[in-house]
Amino acid sequence: MALTGKQHFGIARKIVSNMTSESWEQIPHATVTYEPDVTEFLKEYKKLNEGCTDKSKKITINTVMMKIICEGLKVAPKLNAHLEFNRKLVRGCLKTYDHVDISMPMILPNGEMMTVNLHDMGDKSLTEMTETILDTARRAENTDLNEVMFEVSLDNTLNALKKGKIAQTVNRLYGSKTGKHKVRTLSGKAKKEYYSIPETERLTKHDIEQGTTTITNVGSIYRPFRGEVNLLEIIPPQVSAFAIGATQKKALVKTGENGEDEMYIGYTMPITVAMDHRAVDYGDMVPFFEKLDEIFADPSVIHSWK
């Protein structure tokens, strides 16, 4: 067996690997996959962009699905929350919020992936959500990934120090500032020029901080995907995560006007939901699924969100 390559983790990969490790070490995950019939929904979705000639202003199906999940979270607030839990003392506190901040993985112009925080998406219209996503992508083009990630990492380290996690703080600083694993950030003139860019024109730690939930659209990454996400990590202190699959053509069954079952060719879109079982039970998901059932049963409602 011959070694074909060796690549030390950059700061983005370090943060992802650390957070996902923390997720699996601390959180008892429970998942369920919801598979709605989206045949009629897709017809209504196509109508949303009728007459729109500017491709950049078209509402994507990813945006509509985020909006649908937001509507579900409004009636299932325990899924849109942060958890504080002390295992030694067996003390927990679930913090629910009146807004939905979506942590969403985004592919940057250089091909790297960054999870951004799309703030207050729950009450935005589809047009406003589209504008927010486009503006985030625009600012990402002016962003130095190492710089913004280092800001987030430094903030996390200082918070850990405030909580008395001295050993963790020392280890993180040593790991990021020494040897081959040293994080390379800007300095001198390059740093001065970068930070002279207005914050309205680049991403800051405010755009990277934890949202109230995470939504990943696997279907947008690989549209021919024929399957579903079986397990996904929840990033603490969040208590939920969602993975949207690709649209899939299937043989489905419905009850006809005469009361008999009829088979037809339609479309489904699997949505996997992961919950932190320390804070949430399956019963807490029921209002969420009921809301989604309501939307997919009468998908014309999406036009009122535009």
Side-chain angles (χ1 to χ4, degrees), residues 269-303:
M269 185 184 297
I271 302 172
T272 300
V273 186
M275 67 174 181
D276 184 335
H277 221 331
R278 295 175 299 177
V280 185
D281 297 315
Y282 284 109
D284 297 313
M285 290 185 174
V286 172
F288 176 85
F289 293 127
E290 288 178 335
K291 186 63 177 180
L292 267 62
D293 283 344
E294 178 186 319
I295 293 170
F296 289 117
D298 182 16
S300 63
V301 69
I302 66 175
H303 299 289

Side-chain angles (χ1 to χ4, degrees), residues 193-209:
E193 289 179 350
Y194 176 72
Y195 283 99
S196 69
I197 301 173
E199 291 190 354
T200 55
E201 300 301 311
R202 58 181 170 86
L203 300 180
T204 68
K205 66 178 182 180
H206 177 69
D207 300 293
I208 312 298
E209 66 188 7

Side-chain angles (χ1 to χ4, degrees), residues 162-218:
K162 289 178 182 178
K163 294 178 180 178
K165 299 178 180 179
I166 299 175
Q168 182 187 94
T169 302
V170 172
N171 288 336
R172 284 187 176 182
L173 290 173
Y174 179 80
S176 65
K177 289 296 184 181
T178 59
K180 296 178 181 179
H181 299 275
K182 183 177 180 179
V183 175
R184 307 291 176 180
T185 54
L186 298 175
S187 61
K189 182 181 178 181
K191 184 173 184 176
K192 185 177 180 180
E193 289 179 350
Y194 176 72
Y195 283 99
S196 69
I197 301 173
E199 291 190 354
T200 55
E201 300 301 311
R202 58 181 170 86
L203 300 180
T204 68
K205 66 178 182 180
H206 177 69
D207 300 293
I208 312 298
E209 66 188 7
Q210 285 292 342
T212 55
T213 192
T214 296
I215 301 177
T216 301
N217 192 332
V218 178

Side-chain angles (χ1 to χ4, degrees), residues 81-86 90-97 237 239 278-279:
H82 284 176
L83 173 66
E84 290 183 357
F85 183 74
N86 185 317
V90 196
R91 292 176 178 174
C93 176
L94 187 65
K95 299 179 178 180
T96 56
Y97 298 94
V239 299
R278 295 175 299 177

Side-chain angles (χ1 to χ4, degrees), residues 77-117:
K78 285 188 176 181
L79 295 177
N80 185 54
H82 284 176
L83 173 66
E84 290 183 357
F85 183 74
N86 185 317
R87 190 174 182 185
K88 289 182 178 180
L89 300 178
V90 196
R91 292 176 178 174
C93 176
L94 187 65
K95 299 179 178 180
T96 56
Y97 298 94
D98 62 355
H99 55 274
V100 182
D101 290 349
I102 299 175
S103 293
M104 183 188 78
M106 174 179 286
I107 298 176
L108 300 176
N110 63 1
E112 294 186 90
M113 184 170 285
M114 175 189 288
T115 298
V116 296
N117 186 338

Side-chain angles (χ1 to χ4, degrees), residues 258-277:
N258 59 3
E260 295 182 358
D261 289 339
E262 300 175 358
M263 183 173 288
Y264 66 104
I265 302 299
Y267 293 88
T268 64
M269 185 184 297
I271 302 172
T272 300
V273 186
M275 67 174 181
D276 184 335
H277 221 331

